[in-house]
Amino acid sequence: MTYAITQTCCSDATCVSVCPVNCIHPTPEEPDFGRTEMLYIDPRSCIDCGACADACPVEAVFPVDSLPAAQREYGPLNAAYFADREPGQDPEGPNFHEWGEPSFKRSLPSDFAPIRVAVVGTGPAGMYAAEDLLLHTGAEVTLIDRLPVAGGLIRYGVAPDHQSTKRAGDTFARFHTHPRVRMHLGVEVGSDVTPEEIAAHHDAVIYAVGASAGRRLGIPGEDLPGSICATTFVSWYNAHPEVAPDAVDLSAERVVVVGNGNVALDAARILVSDPDALAAGDIAGHALEALRAGSVREVVLLGRRGPQDAAYTRSELLALKHLAGVELIVDDHDQRTGATIDAADQSDRAALLRGVTRETVDWSRPPPAGRRIVFRFHSAPVEALGDGEVTALRVTDGADGGEEGTRSIPAGLLLRAVGQRGLPVAGLPFDQATGTVPHEGGRVTGLPGTYVVGWIKRGPSGGIGANRICAAETVGTLLDDAVGGALPEPERDAKSFQRLVRRRNRRVVDARGLAEIERAELALGRRDGRPRVKLATLPELVAAARGGRRRIPG
């Protein structure tokens, strides 16, 4: 019996490091690493030891023979990665590399005096950097976040029905109370404290602030009410305190999602899922109520190009195919779509749509009874229509692969899921073209002692695990600078920074306050028979941090 990696793989390579027979690929030293959708176990080499399953932080590894029906495809998917090659053969090179711990040029802690490092952002990128510093050096780490709760995209970006993926946060949570960590949550850099003040109290500062802005479509009507960025929708159903509970109106029967990436598929899945099934996760209470009372029955996934170019992963598409009571349809308006699906090799993403019903959808009619997701490829948005609010989206219509005209798809909600980009960070240089901070190996150009990690460093690409390697590079650069004497000497000590922050902001949350928030949310979850009920406003979070959960409404 062999093991297989399944949908929730985070690709952080923890499983690779514990495998005694080097059967999990690609490894961080192989060219394919970071370019595949997930990691894979070679069934020809697996010895059924289970070490990978024990080590996986997101519980994505299972024996093939015990995979439930919705995940049985992952046995063949793992095996297919190794098809047509000898054991140990790398598709991007002559041979798999021998695996060892990820190796970066590193200085030993004894090579430099103890340092204080501030990490701005407590999502995966920031926490991988903090973990690296705490486990491999004697550095003191100051964690700073503008929200009064830690987690970043693990808390506010991972879909609420992907609870296994959210368990990656448990790995990071153990560092929140580390004796060399000081936590300051609810602190806005640029208003509560300046970048210069943070730098004056630390030897180095690592910015891990992500890419929070959604890209625009650049079409007329894009700013009409009822047209929202998918990142807003994701934040709304994840109880982000900066998105109002009434920010999303689900009274329409049809929703159009522009985009074919994982965020687009997440949005579609949430919109048509059984609310009772979603209640088994940590979806926001206001989102759960809105979905129960809403009218959405059809979600249209609009792709500018064909199914072979879709950006979603196989695992996310497979998740849609197993949604109870939800029909998948491919709009057969363009003959190129069907031809691509029929001709796709089994290893191609388009082949997963084989067997999905194809029909030429009559958009003049309301959605049929039941719930369904419609894939419409070779179709681009042209204009959002409506008098005061979105009522339809005009799109290109290359019927039969001929010259493209346009048609209107009636819809009461338009979600723009065409990617994200970083925003300028106070005090740091910024590349407007890429939405990133210019850097060399994570070292911010022209600012000694200042570093970046994650999406603000490399752009919005890669999942949770990609940040581990990204953070290792940045921390390696920082440590080289420490040894070389290139870090500026801090002007003030750690305690004076704590006093400064609390003088500027009386609502700062520390590790004890974060633990109180955790207790409050878990208690509300037990009351409602759910794993957790998230507190959805800043006042609720701050009150819970102060031990005031009895004052929380509900």
Side-chain angles (χ1 to χ4, degrees), residues 5-154:
I5 299 175
T6 63
Q7 175 185 349
T8 55
C9 175
C10 68
S11 298
D12 82 340
T14 300
C15 57
V16 177
S17 64
V18 300
C19 178
V21 293
N22 190 33
C23 74
I24 305 176
H25 298 280
T27 73
E29 294 184 348
E30 293 166 1
D32 249 1
F33 188 81
R35 289 189 273 172
T36 58
E37 297 174 351
M38 52 188 281
L39 304 182
Y40 303 90
I41 296 176
D42 188 346
R44 300 167 299 181
S45 306
C46 178
I47 61 172
D48 187 23
C49 69
C52 53
D54 292 338
C56 180
V58 295
E59 299 183 7
V61 187
F62 300 95
V64 170
D65 290 352
S66 64
L67 288 172
Q71 294 185 326
R72 283 177 191 156
E73 293 99 333
Y74 289 98
L77 270 178
N78 277 250
Y81 180 77
F82 301 94
D84 301 323
R85 68 187 75 151
E86 295 298 321
Q89 181 184 356
D90 181 357
E92 299 291 338
N95 289 291
F96 281 135
H97 301 278
E98 289 300 318
W99 166 246
E101 283 293 325
S103 59
F104 296 88
K105 182 182 177 182
R106 282 296 175 84
S107 303
L108 297 174
S110 59
D111 293 336
F112 54 88
I115 58 175
R116 293 197 306 274
V117 181
V119 178
V120 181
T122 60
M127 290 309 301
Y128 273 123
E131 176 186 50
D132 203 345
L133 287 165
L134 293 167
L135 293 181
H136 301 121
T137 79
E140 296 179 359
V141 175
T142 302
L143 296 176
I144 302 170
D145 202 296
R146 65 186 180 85
L147 295 177
V149 64
L153 281 181
I154 289 183

Side-chain angles (χ1 to χ4, degrees), residues 1-336:
M1 178 177 63
T2 61
Y3 279 73
I5 299 175
T6 63
Q7 175 185 349
T8 55
C9 175
C10 68
S11 298
D12 82 340
T14 300
C15 57
V16 177
S17 64
V18 300
C19 178
V21 293
N22 190 33
C23 74
I24 305 176
H25 298 280
T27 73
E29 294 184 348
E30 293 166 1
D32 249 1
F33 188 81
R35 289 189 273 172
T36 58
E37 297 174 351
M38 52 188 281
L39 304 182
Y40 303 90
I41 296 176
D42 188 346
R44 300 167 299 181
S45 306
C46 178
I47 61 172
D48 187 23
C49 69
C52 53
D54 292 338
C56 180
V58 295
E59 299 183 7
V61 187
F62 300 95
V64 170
D65 290 352
S66 64
L67 288 172
Q71 294 185 326
R72 283 177 191 156
E73 293 99 333
Y74 289 98
L77 270 178
N78 277 250
Y81 180 77
F82 301 94
D84 301 323
R85 68 187 75 151
E86 295 298 321
Q89 181 184 356
D90 181 357
E92 299 291 338
N95 289 291
F96 281 135
H97 301 278
E98 289 300 318
W99 166 246
E101 283 293 325
S103 59
F104 296 88
K105 182 182 177 182
R106 282 296 175 84
S107 303
L108 297 174
S110 59
D111 293 336
F112 54 88
I115 58 175
R116 293 197 306 274
V117 181
V119 178
V120 181
T122 60
M127 290 309 301
Y128 273 123
E131 176 186 50
D132 203 345
L133 287 165
L134 293 167
L135 293 181
H136 301 121
T137 79
E140 296 179 359
V141 175
T142 302
L143 296 176
I144 302 170
D145 202 296
R146 65 186 180 85
L147 295 177
V149 64
L153 281 181
I154 289 183
R155 180 179 172 95
Y156 293 119
V158 176
D161 56 346
H162 286 176
Q163 288 297 297
S164 292
T165 304
K166 288 177 180 282
R167 291 192 183 102
D170 297 340
T171 301
F172 301 135
R174 62 193 173 117
F175 295 105
H176 294 162
T177 55
H178 192 283
R180 286 186 277 117
V181 167
R182 296 294 179 269
M183 181 174 281
H184 304 292
L185 305 178
V187 176
E188 182 79 37
V189 177
S191 56
D192 292 327
V193 293
T194 67
E196 294 78 13
E197 287 171 329
I198 299 175
H201 290 81
H202 298 86
D203 296 271
V205 185
I206 300 175
Y207 287 87
V209 294
S212 58
R215 293 186 181 275
R216 294 179 60 81
L217 299 175
I219 62 173
E222 182 173 6
D223 294 317
L224 281 170
S227 170
I228 63 175
C229 181
T231 55
T232 299
F233 181 64
V234 171
S235 295
W236 174 77
Y237 66 58
N238 272 317
H240 195 295
E242 295 178 340
V243 178
D246 61 354
V248 179
D249 182 357
L250 300 182
S251 60
E253 292 183 328
R254 178 182 290 132
V255 177
V256 175
V257 181
V258 180
N260 268 179
N262 281 349
V263 172
L265 265 62
D266 277 348
R269 191 180 66 255
I270 295 298
L271 283 166
V272 297
S273 288
D274 181 351
D276 289 338
L278 293 175
D282 63 352
I283 188 170
H286 57 252
L288 194 59
E289 293 176 9
L291 287 164
R292 282 178 168 146
S295 303
V296 177
R297 291 189 285 116
E298 181 177 271
V299 178
V300 182
L301 288 167
L302 194 73
R304 187 183 301 269
R305 296 183 292 177
Q308 75 278 13
D309 297 310
Y312 53 71
T313 59
R314 291 172 176 81
S315 59
E316 291 301 320
L317 180 57
L318 287 173
L320 292 188
K321 295 178 76 170
H322 292 287
L323 274 179
V326 177
E327 183 182 16
L328 297 190
I329 298 290
V330 173
D331 185 3
D332 210 17
H333 75 104
D334 188 310
Q335 65 182 13
R336 291 172 292 179

Side-chain angles (χ1 to χ4, degrees), residues 450-468:
T450 306
Y451 305 84
V452 285
V453 70
W455 284 1
I456 197 63
K457 170 187 173 184
R458 66 182 192 274
S461 63
I464 293 172
N467 292 297
R468 184 185 183 197

